[in-house]
Amino acid sequence: MSESPVTKPARRNLLALLPLILFLGLAAIFLTQLMSGRDTQTLPSALIGEPVPVTNLPPIAVLTVPGIAPEDFKGKVTVLNVFASWCAPCRDEHPVLMELAKDTRFQLIAINYKDKPDNAAAFLTELGNPYTKIGADQNGRAGIDWGVYGVPETYVIGPDGVIRHKHVGPLDAESAKALLEEAAKAAAQ
């Protein structure tokens, strides 16, 4: 049985409208996401509320600062910063870290991510070293264990060794204040 001449144009008109319908549907989804009020800077981390990954990292060869061992995350609030000398935002956030290092309520330690030891040492010599311990993660394995998206990233770990907070991107004065609040909460728990 053949189609009537009336149904062919109707079907063609519907097919012609299909891209418009799809576009409007996608636009509605994007608009809903934009208007949701959700913080688009926050990246979810499966590690929040979990114990820190077992992290054994050697020191940076040319520095006298010790590396990182699993017991370093127990007994005191820890702020862990992941940085690299080749990272421009790490250079921008460094003055904020130098200020944070003055706060005795927590220890500030670091993972030097996929960096050459000489470059990391030159970076810290030029800008100052705010860290009490620095682990060299030259192959990036520890970064994978920690769920690092990219450098810089900063974590707050409670005295029980549980990750309480993660900040992705460079710290500025405002985000450092929020980080200190998270560190104070971790110390109180």
Side-chain angles (χ1 to χ4, degrees):
M1 187 176 249
S2 68
E3 293 183 40
S4 72
V6 175
T7 58
K8 276 188 176 180
R11 191 174 293 170
R12 267 192 240 146
N13 288 342
L14 184 61
L15 285 175
L17 289 176
L18 189 60
L20 178 62
I21 293 167
L22 288 173
F23 172 77
L24 291 174
L26 285 173
I29 291 170
F30 290 138
L31 183 62
T32 303
Q33 289 296 317
L34 284 173
M35 304 304 279
S36 71
R38 195 179 90 222
D39 184 3
T40 58
Q41 298 289 48
T42 303
L43 292 174
S45 175
L47 295 178
I48 303 296
E50 298 293 324
V52 298
V54 175
T55 306
N56 260 319
L57 291 172
I60 296 173
V62 294
L63 296 177
T64 58
V65 180
I68 298 175
E71 59 271 9
D72 294 334
F73 299 101
K74 297 281 186 179
K76 188 171 187 178
V77 174
T78 302
V79 173
L80 173 77
N81 180 254
V82 182
F83 81 100
S85 65
W86 46 262
C87 161
C90 296
R91 184 172 287 276
D92 293 341
E93 85 170 347
H94 205 78
V96 175
L97 293 169
M98 293 298 288
E99 283 301 311
L100 283 176
K102 296 174 184 176
D103 195 319
T104 59
R105 294 177 292 174
F106 57 87
Q107 64 177 340
L108 181 59
I109 66 176
I111 293 176
N112 181 237
Y113 184 71
K114 293 185 175 182
D115 210 349
K116 294 179 182 173
D118 290 338
N119 293 348
F123 178 88
L124 294 171
T125 299
E126 177 188 343
L127 299 176
N129 181 8
Y131 310 112
T132 57
K133 298 174 188 216
I134 306 171
D137 184 21
Q138 289 184 311
N139 65 6
R141 180 68 214 167
I144 291 169
D145 294 343
W146 279 85
V148 172
Y149 290 101
V151 292
E153 290 188 11
T154 308
Y155 299 79
V156 174
I157 298 113
D160 55 356
V162 173
I163 298 172
R164 305 294 171 82
H165 178 75
K166 177 180 180 178
H167 177 82
V168 177
L171 293 170
D172 57 19
E174 185 179 318
S175 58
K177 182 179 176 187
L179 192 81
L180 287 173
E181 290 172 9
E182 291 295 332
K185 284 183 205 173
Q189 292 179 352

